């Protein structure tokens, strides 16, 4: 030991035996360079699977520069980045996505900090009216908010999926409208022993479903669901951001992207602007779609397990029941109406109750399902004809641009792709023939008439 060194300097009884500079165990506290770091940031892999802990806290200055206490939530930066990648898929050419992408790394780090410290607040939404297939009011959250929606649903949806029955088709991976139509066709055949026996089909709809969702009931059921299930995230974090998003009022400070006249003809029960307080989720958000599935999952289990309906399927608020006894289905109407009113504060649409024999066919999700074949609904065909007439008028007036030509192909392929799943060859051929023959300079249809393909680029007026 050199002169001037303390005998206790290298003692194992020193305050810090862990060297926080290199991770080694030692009893030389001088190697710590006076740094006191008794904790470190855990990786996600080190936290998942552990017992839930209470949210941490951090100090942050308020507007006056004074320190105040904020709740700190368990949010992993890699999850926020993954949510961004999922959110931008198919959207990178849109202006909001491009504006965010200019400084996307710093924007995501700032968003992660806000989520972690509990300072995140929902931003402004855009609201507009769409007329097809029916008139609806759509609220579009900001791109930053949509990232948060993807982040939260990535944590919650895998567990919510286990709550849903198989025959719930909307907004679910590897499901959708086509599966719903195919399953109804299967139900009709099974219930009638391939149309050899009599059976009845009951189709119901919930009146103004999204605008009628009671937020307090939804939050109560979500709280109980979160408490009784294991999630790959801190439960208090999930509760906080579920509550924040559900209770957010998108009407505050929203930007109207449609003129006020567009709201004429829209029923007051279809708009958040005329909705009663404490009810309604905005149509257009990912969270609204998944929370809506969760909200009606209790109805699904009631119909399947309490009423004992074997042949049942639902797409959002449109659902069908099939049974051999029409009297049983009539009793189901009364029971379902009572359950919706008592448990979910919802109402059956009085003008959309259809009970008929299976061999008379059934309209479901824009498709008419008959014995031996399926076809597109009249509304689908009418909307398609309107689009063709619009594009024929543009080519007649010689108002073509590259964008219009590309839009014509996208529109036609959208309709062709949808109806090609069903027995619609003659319909597809007829609709393609109704388009102006001059469109043949740009596109031709494949032998199955399920897609328009480009011939070659043309010089067009800009």
């Amino acid at each position: 030991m050199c002169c001037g060194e303390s005998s206790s300097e290298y003692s194992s009884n020193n305050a810090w035996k862990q060297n926080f500079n290199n991770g080694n165990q030692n009893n030389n506290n001088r190697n710590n360079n006076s740094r006191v770091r008794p904790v470190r940031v855990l990786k996600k892999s080190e936290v998942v699977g552990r017992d839930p802990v209470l949210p941490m806290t951090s100090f942050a200055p308020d507007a006056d520069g004074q320190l105040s206490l904020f709740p700190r939530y368990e949010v992993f930066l890699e999850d926020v980045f993954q949510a961004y990648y999922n959110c931008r898929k198919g959207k990178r050419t849109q202006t909001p996505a491009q504006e965010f992408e200019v400084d996307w790394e710093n924007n995501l780090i700032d968003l992660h900090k806000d989520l972690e410290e509990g300072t995140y607040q929902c931003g402004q939404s855009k609201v507009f009216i769409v007329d097809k297939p029916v008139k609806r009011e759509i609220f579009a959250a900001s791109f930053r908010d949509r990232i948060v929606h993807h982040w939260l649903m990535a944590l919650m949806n895998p567990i919510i999926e286990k709550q849903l029955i198989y025959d719930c088709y909307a907004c679910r991976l590897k499901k959708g409208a086509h599966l719903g139509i195919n399953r109804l066709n299967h139900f009709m055949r099974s219930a009638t022993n391939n149309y050899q026996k009599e059976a009845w089909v009951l189709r119901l709809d919930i009146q103004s479903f999204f605008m009628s969702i009671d937020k307090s009931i939804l939050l109560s059921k979500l709280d109980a669901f979160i408490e009784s299930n294991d999630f790959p995230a801190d439960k208090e974090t999930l509760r906080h951001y579920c509550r924040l998003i559900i209770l957010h009022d998108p009407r505050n400070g929203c930007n109207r992207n449609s003129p006020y006249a567009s709201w004429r003809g829209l029923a007051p029960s279809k708009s958040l602007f005329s909705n009663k307080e404490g009810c309604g989720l905005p149509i257009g958000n990912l969270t609204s779609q998944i929370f809506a599935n969760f909200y009606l999952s209790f109805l699904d289990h009631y119909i399947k397990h309490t009423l004992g309906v074997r042949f049942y399927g639902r797409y959002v608020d449109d659902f069908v029941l099939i049974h051999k006894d029409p009297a049983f289905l009539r009793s189901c109407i009364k029971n379902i109406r009572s359950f919706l009113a008592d448990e979910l504060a919802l109402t059956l649409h009085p003008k959309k109750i259809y009970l008929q024999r299976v061999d008379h066919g059934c309209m479901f999700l824009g498709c008419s399902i008959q014995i031996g074949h399926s076809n597109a609904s009249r509304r689908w065909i009418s909307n398609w004809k309107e689009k063709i007439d619009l594009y024929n008028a543009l080519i007649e007036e010689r108002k073509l641009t590259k964008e219009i030509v590309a839009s014509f192909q996208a529109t036609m392929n959208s309709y062709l792709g949808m109806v090609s799943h069903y027995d619609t060859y003659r319909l597809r051929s007829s609709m393609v023939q109704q388009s102006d023959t001059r469109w043949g300079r740009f596109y031709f249809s494949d032998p199955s008439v399920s897609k328009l393909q480009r011939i070659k680029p043309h010089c067009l007026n800009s």
Side-chain angles (χ1 to χ4, degrees):
M1 183 179 296
C2 297
C3 182
E5 291 183 344
S6 169
S7 61
S8 62
E9 187 173 359
Y10 294 95
S11 170
S12 59
N13 296 321
N14 258 334
W16 300 110
K17 295 198 296 180
Q18 175 74 37
N19 188 330
F20 293 106
N21 295 316
N22 55 29
N24 295 334
Q25 294 279 348
N26 59 58
N27 59 0
N28 184 350
N29 67 346
R30 296 205 322 189
N31 289 338
N32 289 312
N33 297 326
S34 300
R35 299 178 183 177
V36 178
R37 295 186 293 170
V39 295
R40 64 184 177 87
V41 177
L42 294 178
K43 297 180 181 178
K44 181 181 179 181
S45 59
E46 296 177 292
V47 175
V48 173
R50 292 189 177 189
D51 292 332
V53 296
L54 293 174
M56 297 178 291
T57 58
S58 64
F59 288 96
D62 58 19
D64 299 325
Q66 302 295 322
L67 289 180
S68 58
L69 188 63
F70 284 83
R72 181 161 180 156
Y73 298 97
E74 182 184 273
V75 181
F76 296 101
L77 184 59
E78 61 192 84
D79 290 342
V80 177
F81 271 70
Q82 186 59 52
Y84 166 68
Y85 299 142
N86 294 337
C87 185
R88 75 179 186 181
K89 286 180 181 177
K91 310 290 185 181
R92 298 188 72 177
T93 59
Q94 297 183 1
T95 301
Q98 291 177 340
E99 291 175 348
F100 191 92
E101 194 167 358
V102 170
D103 193 17
W104 66 279
E105 288 181 317
N106 286 328
N107 288 336
L108 290 177
I109 291 172
D110 291 341
L111 176 58
H112 170 257
K113 181 181 177 182
D114 289 344
L115 290 171
E116 220 180 23
E117 295 182 350
T119 57
Y120 165 78
Q121 295 294 327
C122 299
Q124 286 184 330
S125 297
K126 296 179 182 178
V127 59
F128 53 92
I129 297 293
V130 296
D131 295 309
K132 303 296 181 182
V134 295
K135 197 163 191 173
R136 287 194 180 97
E137 176 187 80
I138 307 296
F139 278 85
S142 66
F143 188 78
R144 189 174 191 259
D145 290 342
R146 278 180 272 160
I147 295 174
V148 176
H149 297 171
H150 277 269
W151 163 74
L152 182 62
M153 291 301 98
L155 297 173
M156 295 196 63
N157 197 42
I159 312 302
I160 291 177
E161 279 287 321
K162 299 177 182 179
Q163 164 79 5
L164 307 180
I165 64 171
Y166 179 81
D167 287 295
C168 169
Y169 312 116
C171 199
R172 298 182 68 188
L173 189 64
K174 297 183 180 180
K175 295 187 184 287
H178 295 317
L179 176 64
I181 292 168
N182 292 336
R183 288 288 287 175
L184 177 57
N185 198 351
H186 168 70
F187 292 161
M188 293 167 67
R189 290 181 178 275
S190 299
T192 59
N193 193 17
N194 205 20
Y195 298 107
Q196 296 181 26
K197 297 180 180 179
E198 182 181 279
W200 293 72
V201 57
L202 172 65
R203 183 159 65 92
L204 302 172
D205 191 284
I206 297 175
Q207 189 170 26
S208 305
F209 170 54
F210 277 94
M211 302 302 147
S212 301
I213 294 176
D214 190 299
K215 295 183 178 181
S216 62
I217 295 177
L218 174 58
L219 284 171
S220 175
K221 291 186 177 297
L222 272 173
D223 283 344
F225 181 74
I226 292 172
E227 183 62 33
S228 60
N229 287 274
D230 294 328
F231 286 85
D234 174 42
K235 292 185 177 183
E236 191 60 34
T237 301
L238 299 180
R239 286 195 191 94
H240 173 77
Y241 286 106
C242 283
R243 183 172 297 274
L244 183 69
I245 291 172
I246 291 173
L247 295 181
H248 170 66
D249 190 347
R251 298 172 299 180
N252 294 336
C254 67
N255 296 319
R256 291 184 186 246
N257 282 22
S258 295
Y260 282 90
S262 301
W263 271 261
R264 294 173 185 168
L266 183 69
S269 60
K270 298 287 186 180
S271 173
L272 283 179
F273 291 102
S274 53
N275 206 32
K276 67 178 182 179
E277 203 66 29
C279 290
L281 296 182
I283 299 176
N285 289 348
L286 173 65
T287 50
S288 298
Q289 301 294 327
I290 295 177
F291 287 150
N293 271 347
F294 172 79
Y295 198 69
L296 282 187
S297 67
F298 300 93
L299 172 67
D300 297 338
H301 288 287
Y302 174 75
I303 293 175
K304 290 283 288 184
H305 303 130
T306 304
L307 299 182
V309 179
R310 177 184 176 188
F311 302 113
Y312 166 78
R314 177 177 63 84
Y315 188 96
V316 192
D317 60 339
D318 195 1
F319 50 103
V320 292
L321 302 80
I322 298 179
H323 198 271
K324 62 182 180 180
D325 186 1
F328 172 78
L329 291 176
R330 291 190 186 97
S331 68
C332 286
I333 297 175
K334 180 180 178 181
N335 292 329
I336 292 171
R337 182 182 283 117
S338 298
F339 179 86
L340 288 174
D342 297 340
E343 297 294 327
L344 302 175
L346 297 174
T347 307
L348 281 180
H349 200 300
K351 297 182 179 180
K352 294 184 179 180
I353 300 176
Y354 304 97
L355 178 62
Q356 61 194 58
R357 288 163 54 107
V358 165
D359 55 12
H360 290 175
C362 180
M363 290 291 304
F364 188 55
L365 305 181
C367 185
S368 174
I369 304 172
Q370 307 290 336
I371 297 178
H373 73 281
S374 303
N375 206 341
S377 67
R378 294 178 183 177
R379 188 176 70 185
W380 263 85
I381 298 173
S382 175
N383 291 341
W384 195 357
K385 286 181 178 179
E386 287 183 15
K387 288 291 186 180
I388 292 176
D389 292 341
L390 174 63
Y391 285 109
N392 286 346
L394 291 174
I395 201 170
E396 179 68 29
E397 298 170 5
R398 301 178 182 274
K399 294 182 178 180
L400 293 187
T401 63
K402 292 180 180 179
E403 290 75 18
I404 291 176
V405 173
S407 177
F408 172 77
Q409 182 190 23
T411 300
M412 292 295 290
N413 283 344
S414 176
Y415 280 100
L416 288 171
M418 176 63 75
V419 301
S420 63
H421 289 268
Y422 316 114
D423 310 312
T424 56
Y425 177 81
R426 286 190 295 178
L427 170 66
R428 299 196 303 271
S429 300
S430 172
M431 299 302 284
V432 170
Q433 291 172 6
Q434 289 185 35
S435 61
D436 195 297
T437 55
R438 283 170 286 188
W439 286 111
R441 296 186 303 152
F442 307 102
Y443 303 107
F444 70 95
S445 63
D446 60 0
S448 63
V449 199
S450 60
K451 185 178 182 180
L452 292 187
Q453 298 180 356
R454 188 72 183 265
I455 296 177
K456 60 180 180 179
H458 285 261
C459 295
L460 302 170
N461 296 326
S462 58

